[in-house]
Amino acid sequence: MPVAASAIYFLNLRGDVLINRLYRDDVGGNMVDAFRVHIMQTKELGTCPVRQIGGCSFFYMRISNVYIVIVVSSNANVACAFKFVVEAVSLFKSYFGGAFDEDAIRNNFVLIYELLDEIMDFGYPQNLSPEILKLYITQEGVRSPFSSKPTDKPVPNATLQVTGAVGWRREGLVYKKNEVFLDIVESVNLLMSSKGSVLRCDVTGKILMKCFLSGMPDLKLGLNDKIGLEKESQLKSRPTKSGKTIELDDVTFHQCVNLTRFNSEKTVSFVPPDGEFELMKYRITEGVNLPFRVLPTIKELGRTRMEVNVKVKSVFGAKMFALGVVIKIPVPKQTAKTSFQVTSGRAKYNAAIDCLVWKIRKFPGQTEPTMSAEVELISTIAEKKSWTRPPIQMEFQVPMFTASGLRVRFLKVWEKNGYNTVEWVRYITKAGSYEIRC
């Protein structure tokens, strides 16, 4: 469901209206008074950005010294409303030289009214791309004297940009060396019980691209996802090649992706923006390859001593390695003294977080380093409750490894001039919430 905003207000910190625009007649003119009395003049201003007063809902956000308030009288998409506010502020900043505050609004109220008429129609958000809007709203904003941002150059070929579907890319780009950089970055989320059973495990990933291509290229990306391979085999009337396939969940794409073609052919095809952007996000819940296995053994010897033994096994290939591995083993607050023995890396006691911190700068694959620690505790009479063991936490980064098994099968670049391109693909797996109960 879209926003369907009835009104939008720009207020300063005192509650004075700087600019307002009414898009529908289903709310009264005293809506801003209700916002001042029930929200601004109470202690609930910073608790929740969504409030319902009477039959209307107020979505508000503070940017610098300005409150932007959207009033709706019906059920609306809150996330879409805040996304509209963020994009609108970015648009205003592009006109005002990077500044958005009370002074910038007072100096550019005529331009803001003109922009508000273009970016929202009858309460529904429209195009908020600065590159496209600057083609037919050519008025320059009053720039702040403290702004050092250069004035944006006009985008050529106005007809194509306004009526076409590639508003995110301008024509006429020329590079001496045409390159495409593609990064698959994944975060592993794991919660394991003290008995070694997996309680929760999933992978969230994103595909980041950096394109330096001339002209208007058309890119086609092939992954080893199950649905895409099955669709490809149907179209080509031949069986799929053997190999691991994965099932992608909760996939979201950049606006440049041709969704019609993806729905019909399950192919990720797109005309990329120039420079760096996020092509897609996804999540994997089945068949996750955990990069590490942690085997902890913690023994409490009376009230004054503990023995901690931790073995960490890397299950990825022997030719690969992890970087910046950090294992945090919680200990009681009354820890007084520690001694360590490690087969790799360094270990120390961090009293600020009540943890034994074991760091391994470079962790090769198919290895099993261990850490043994003796912990001496201060015996206190007041401490009668048994120690509740928090989970062991782990941080790492494994280049050229994906926990989901996602792989790029091909990356094709087509452009009418037929130039040669260089494609670079990199895989990175990081720790999201990697916890092992002990």
Side-chain angles (χ1 to χ4, degrees):
M1 181 179 294
V3 175
S6 299
I8 183 170
Y9 294 91
F10 293 77
L11 311 176
N12 60 15
L13 299 182
R14 297 185 303 273
D16 301 329
V17 179
L18 303 175
I19 282 182
N20 71 293
R21 181 71 170 85
L22 298 178
Y23 292 101
R24 294 166 175 259
D25 56 0
D26 53 356
V27 296
N30 60 345
M31 286 294 101
V32 66
D33 297 328
F35 180 79
R36 290 195 198 99
V37 174
H38 296 281
I39 300 178
M40 292 196 70
Q41 296 179 4
T42 63
K43 296 182 180 180
E44 300 179 359
L45 182 60
T47 57
C48 179
V50 180
R51 289 291 306 278
Q52 190 169 10
I53 303 174
C56 297
S57 298
F58 293 80
F59 310 145
Y60 60 93
M61 179 183 294
R62 177 177 173 178
I63 308 293
S64 184
N65 57 354
V66 176
Y67 283 103
I68 302 178
V69 184
I70 292 180
V71 183
V72 298
S73 60
S74 59
N75 190 18
N77 190 324
V78 180
C80 182
F82 287 118
K83 178 67 173 178
F84 170 81
V85 172
V86 172
E87 295 292 337
V89 171
S90 299
L91 173 65
F92 297 148
K93 286 183 177 180
S94 68
Y95 273 93
F96 306 157
F100 181 81
D101 50 22
E102 182 177 352
D103 293 335
I105 293 177
R106 292 184 183 277
N107 294 333
N108 297 276
F109 69 92
V110 175
L111 176 59
I112 293 178
Y113 273 121
E114 188 174 359
L115 290 171
L116 289 176
D117 289 337
E118 293 292 340
I119 64 178
M120 185 168 279
D121 183 17
F122 196 59
Y124 294 102
Q126 305 297 313
N127 196 339
L128 288 97
S129 173
E131 291 79 8
I132 294 181
L133 289 171
K134 286 183 179 181
L135 295 174
Y136 49 91
I137 300 181
T138 57
Q139 177 182 347
E140 294 186 2
V142 178
R143 302 169 63 85
S144 170
F146 303 103
S147 175
S148 59
K149 184 179 179 181
T151 304
D152 294 335
K153 295 181 180 180
V155 182
N157 201 341
T159 303
L160 174 64
Q161 293 292 332
V162 175
T163 61
V166 288
W168 53 87
R169 183 181 181 90
R170 64 184 179 90
E171 283 196 332
L173 294 173
V174 178
Y175 290 98
K176 292 183 179 180
K177 187 177 182 181
N178 295 281
E179 294 179 298
V180 179
F181 298 87
L182 188 147
D183 288 345
I184 295 181
V185 182
E186 294 188 344
S187 296
V188 185
N189 304 303
L190 170 70
L191 179 60
M192 183 174 290
S193 69
S194 58
K195 297 181 180 180
S197 59
V198 177
L199 303 177
R200 175 179 57 85
C201 184
D202 66 87
V203 175
T204 57
K206 55 186 176 181
I207 298 181
L208 306 176
M209 295 196 71
K210 187 181 294 185
C211 295
F212 303 103
L213 299 174
S214 304
M216 277 288 183
D218 188 6
L219 275 65
K220 185 177 180 181
L221 176 65
L223 305 171
N224 62 332
D225 62 298
K226 183 177 180 180
I227 298 179
L229 288 173
E230 291 177 352
K231 191 68 177 180
E232 182 179 339
S233 64
Q234 294 176 3
L235 295 175
K236 295 184 179 180
S237 299
R238 63 185 183 186
T240 58
K241 296 181 180 180
S242 60
K244 181 179 179 180
T245 60
I246 62 173
E247 295 186 15
L248 300 177
D249 301 324
D250 302 333
V251 182
T252 57
F253 293 105
H254 188 273
Q255 61 174 335
C256 67
V257 176
N258 189 333
L259 296 180
T260 302
R261 189 171 181 180
F262 178 79
N263 291 331
S264 60
E265 303 177 12
K266 301 303 177 183
T267 300
V268 182
S269 59
F270 55 98
V271 177
D274 185 43
E276 188 173 356
F277 66 101
E278 184 179 281
L279 178 64
M280 62 179 284
K281 291 182 180 179
Y282 60 90
R283 191 167 65 94
I284 301 290
T285 56
E286 301 292 338
V288 177
N289 300 319
L290 298 177
F292 293 98
R293 290 185 60 191
V294 182
L295 304 174
T297 303
I298 299 178
K299 296 180 180 180
E300 299 184 37
L301 307 177
R303 300 180 60 184
T304 60
R305 288 184 62 239
M306 287 179 57
E307 286 186 359
V308 178
N309 295 286
V310 178
K311 179 189 292 186
V312 181
K313 181 179 180 180
S314 53
V315 296
F316 45 86
K319 296 183 179 180
M320 304 168 63
F321 55 86
L323 299 174
V325 178
V326 180
I327 303 101
K328 298 179 181 178
I329 304 98
V331 292
K333 292 184 178 181
Q334 63 269 25
T335 298
K337 185 179 179 181
T338 57
S339 60
F340 300 92
Q341 288 184 355
V342 294
T343 59
S344 179
R346 296 181 179 181
K348 67 177 182 178
Y349 168 58
N350 190 333
I353 57 176
D354 297 318
C355 287
L356 306 180
V357 181
W358 181 19
K359 295 183 179 180
I360 303 176
R361 184 177 180 182
K362 189 174 182 179
F363 199 131
Q366 299 299 316
T367 57
E368 297 183 12
T370 59
M371 183 206 70
S372 299
E374 292 187 2
V375 181
E376 294 184 12
L377 307 175
I378 300 174
S379 179
T380 60
I381 300 177
E383 189 66 28
K384 295 182 180 180
K385 296 182 180 179
S386 60
W387 176 51
T388 302
R389 299 179 182 180
I392 295 175
Q393 296 181 345
M394 193 170 180
E395 301 173 5
F396 55 81
Q397 180 173 316
V398 187
M400 303 310 296
F401 173 83
T402 56
S404 66
L406 183 68
R407 286 290 182 268
V408 175
R409 295 190 296 116
F410 60 83
L411 178 60
K412 299 179 181 179
V413 180
W414 181 88
E415 214 276 336
K416 59 183 180 181
N417 294 324
Y419 54 72
N420 295 323
T421 60
V422 180
E423 296 89 12
W424 304 88
V425 180
R426 181 173 60 173
Y427 303 92
I428 301 175
T429 294
K430 300 180 180 180
S433 175
Y434 209 89
E435 298 180 345
I436 298 93
R437 293 179 178 176
C438 52

